[in-house]
């Protein structure tokens, strides 16, 4: 089997995993119970009560979407694979499919006094994802078996590797800080991903 076909199968498999993770996010958004809804105001109030769940869904949708875009872009440059790349990619997929669980916790507890575990776990998943990106990039840039062919792409990889270290440090620090300031950290993390989305859109337009 050619490396091109293998990479195509790998990308198709990864796309399926991303799609499943995105689909699982919507499961926690449920219609309000009709037992306590007798007026229009009651329905508005019920929708207000599930607003944190909707917020967590939208945030995680953005996270997984950005991760998919970056993953798709990365595989376009990789002309072959290696065992280190495959296993690092699997770690990335693990972090992606795990996101719906802390998303559910975040939506349920973010506005309560028990939000810390949810936010800590949420940030930890992003830390794990950053580590996976680092391992994938290092596998791509491996001097003994580089997976890319041009110096320009190698330079992009080195830049992304630095970003991976910055991201891992940021989310690990956020996970620790979330023990004491969960709501503040959740808001901060939300803004970082929104910024990543805006930056990504602008880069694609250039």
């Amino acid at each position: 089997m050619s490396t091109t076909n293998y990479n195509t199968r790998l990308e198709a498999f990864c796309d399926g995993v991303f799609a499943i993770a995105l689909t699982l996010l919507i499961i926690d958004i449920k219609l309000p119970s009709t037992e306590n809804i007798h007026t229009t105001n009651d329905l508005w109030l019920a929708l207000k009560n599930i607003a944190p769940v909707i917020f967590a869904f939208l945030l995680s949708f953005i996270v997984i979407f950005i991760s998919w875009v970056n993953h798709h872009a990365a595989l376009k440059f990789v002309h072959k694979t290696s065992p280190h790349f495959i296993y690092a990619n699997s770690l990335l997929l693990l972090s992606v499919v795990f996101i719906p669980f802390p998303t559910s916790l975040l939506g349920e507890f973010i506005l309560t006094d028990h939000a810390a575990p949810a936010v800590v776990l949420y940030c930890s998943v992003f830390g794990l994802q950053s580590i996976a990106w680092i391992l994938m990039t290092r596998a791509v840039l491996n001097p003994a078996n580089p997976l890319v062919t041009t110096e320009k792409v190698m330079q992009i990889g080195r830049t992304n590797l630095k970003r991976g270290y910055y991201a891992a440090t940021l989310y690990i620090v956020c996970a620790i800080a979330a023990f004491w300031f969960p709501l503040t950290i959740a808001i901060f993390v939300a803004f970082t991903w929104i910024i990543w989305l805006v930056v990504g859109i602008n880069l694609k337009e250039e």
Side-chain angles (χ1 to χ4, degrees):
M1 180 184 296
S2 68
T3 56
T4 301
N5 289 338
Y6 190 88
N7 283 355
T8 300
R9 291 184 62 190
L10 175 65
E11 185 171 6
F13 171 74
C14 295
D15 286 347
V17 173
F18 278 100
I20 291 171
L22 285 171
T23 304
L24 290 176
L25 290 175
I26 198 64
I27 292 177
D28 285 319
I29 301 182
K30 300 178 176 63
L31 290 174
S33 174
T34 58
E35 294 180 0
N36 299 321
I37 298 177
H38 306 289
T39 66
T40 301
N41 287 336
D42 289 340
L43 180 55
W44 282 118
L45 180 61
L47 291 174
K48 179 182 177 181
N49 290 335
I50 65 171
V53 177
I54 296 175
F55 165 78
F57 161 76
L58 292 174
L59 176 59
S60 292
F61 187 96
I62 290 173
V63 170
I64 296 177
F65 175 75
I66 292 174
S67 300
W68 173 76
V69 170
N70 292 337
H71 186 270
H72 177 70
L75 287 186
K76 284 198 305 182
F77 294 119
V78 176
H79 72 283
K80 61 180 181 178
T81 58
S82 69
H84 289 122
F85 182 83
I86 293 295
Y87 285 112
N89 182 75
S90 298
L91 182 62
L92 175 66
L93 296 181
L94 173 63
S95 70
V96 169
V97 297
F98 192 71
I99 287 176
F101 175 64
T103 299
S104 178
L105 290 178
L106 195 69
E108 187 71 25
F109 296 104
I110 187 59
L111 296 181
T112 71
D113 295 332
H114 317 297
V119 182
V120 169
L121 190 57
Y122 201 62
C123 294
S124 298
V125 172
F126 298 151
L128 176 64
Q129 187 174 110
S130 300
I131 292 172
W133 279 115
I134 291 171
L135 295 176
M136 283 180 62
T137 307
R138 287 176 64 89
V140 169
L141 300 177
N142 181 8
N145 184 28
L147 306 184
V148 293
T149 56
T150 67
E151 179 58 32
K152 180 179 179 180
V153 177
M154 292 284 284
Q155 184 58 46
I156 292 174
R158 285 189 283 268
T159 300
N160 288 337
L161 184 60
K162 293 179 181 178
R163 290 174 179 172
Y165 285 120
Y166 293 148
T169 302
L170 173 66
Y171 290 120
I172 290 172
V173 170
C174 284
I176 295 171
F179 279 100
W180 297 278
F181 313 104
L183 183 58
T184 301
I185 295 300
I187 294 172
F188 173 76
V189 168
F191 274 111
T192 63
W193 282 105
I194 292 172
I195 291 172
W196 272 113
L197 178 63
V198 173
V199 170
I201 292 172
N202 289 335
L203 287 177
K204 297 303 178 184
E205 290 178 347
E206 292 178 356

